[in-house]
């Protein structure tokens, strides 16, 4: 995590932020106070969370069907694949 913050390469999805908030405030014992968790989510917004687009949904459905992952896990994987693809395209343009 430290390296991701240092070089600005951290990425995640809004779904991951939502799950972090729920787990941190409701499922952990002891959990975080909502204000603390909200502050951490706010800081992670600097990582420009991935949007869930129609293409991400389509990919998630394919992953769910092919790999029998849960819907929510399939959506996280699809978002990650979308972020990797976008980063590869950006690096190609820089060359």
């Amino acid at each position: 995590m430290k390296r991701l913050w240092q070089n600005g390469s951290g990425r995640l999805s809004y779904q991951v932020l939502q799950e972090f908030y729920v787990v941190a405030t409701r499922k952990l014992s002891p959990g975080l106070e909502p204000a603390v968790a909200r502050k951490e989510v706010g800081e992670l917004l600097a990582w420009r969370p991935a949007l869930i687009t129609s293409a991400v949904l389509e990919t998630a459905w394919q992953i769910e069907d092919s790999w029998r992952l849960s819907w929510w896990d399939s959506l996280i994987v699809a978002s990650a694949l979308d972020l990797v693809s976008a980063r590869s395209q950006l690096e190609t343009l820089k060359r």
Side-chain angles (χ1 to χ4, degrees), residues 4 6 16 19 21 29 31-33 38 46-47 51 55 63 71 75-76 79 81:
L4 295 174
Q6 288 174 339
V16 169
E19 289 186 27
Y21 180 80
S29 181
L32 295 177
E33 289 294 322
R38 290 173 189 153
W47 284 9
L51 299 174
I63 292 167
W71 166 246
L75 194 54
I76 288 172
S79 292
L81 290 170

Side-chain angles (χ1 to χ4, degrees), residues 11-85:
R11 294 300 305 268
L12 43 68
S13 69
Y14 281 102
Q15 179 190 352
V16 169
L17 287 176
Q18 293 167 30
E19 289 186 27
F20 165 76
Y21 180 80
V22 169
V23 169
T25 59
R26 298 191 178 122
K27 295 186 178 185
L28 292 180
S29 181
L32 295 177
E33 289 294 322
V36 173
R38 290 173 189 153
K39 183 177 183 287
E40 291 193 23
V41 167
E43 290 171 357
L44 289 168
L45 289 173
W47 284 9
R48 302 174 327 273
L51 299 174
I52 296 175
T53 63
S54 59
V56 171
L57 287 174
E58 291 286 341
T59 301
W61 288 323
Q62 291 173 359
I63 292 167
E64 180 186 31
D65 292 344
S66 298
W67 297 96
R68 299 288 178 221
L69 292 178
S70 74
W71 166 246
W72 301 112
D73 290 345
S74 298
L75 194 54
I76 288 172
V77 171
S79 292
L81 290 170
D82 188 57
L83 289 170
V84 168
S85 175

